[in-house]
Amino acid sequence: MSGGIVTLLSLLGFLAIVVWVFVIKRKADFDEQANLPLEDADKDSESTKRHAETKHGEHES
């Protein structure tokens, strides 16, 4: 009996996720979130470049 309830709750949860992703129009939010790793990579590379330049400048002086 409890196995059936767990299965039903899992199915309802799955259907809720499908509705949330595909029915509710949130394309702008998903696109923004999809680009976050790329923005972080740009910030990290700029930070690393600045750190390397600062470190390089310390060795020359």
Side-chain angles (χ1 to χ4, degrees):
M1 178 70 180
S2 63
I5 293 171
V6 170
T7 302
L8 178 64
L9 291 175
S10 298
L11 178 64
L12 291 175
F14 174 76
L15 291 175
I17 291 171
V18 168
V19 167
W20 180 69
V21 170
F22 292 109
V23 174
I24 299 172
K25 302 296 181 190
R26 302 186 60 150
K27 182 170 176 25
D29 292 340
F30 290 141
D31 287 343
E32 181 182 337
Q33 292 174 4
N35 289 328
L36 283 177
L38 300 175
E39 292 174 3
D40 287 343
D42 290 341
K43 289 178 184 176
D44 288 343
S45 66
E46 289 177 15
S47 172
T48 304
K49 191 182 295 182
R50 283 189 211 137
H51 180 72
E53 289 173 357
T54 304
K55 199 171 188 178
H56 183 69
E58 289 176 359
H59 289 287
E60 289 182 357
S61 57

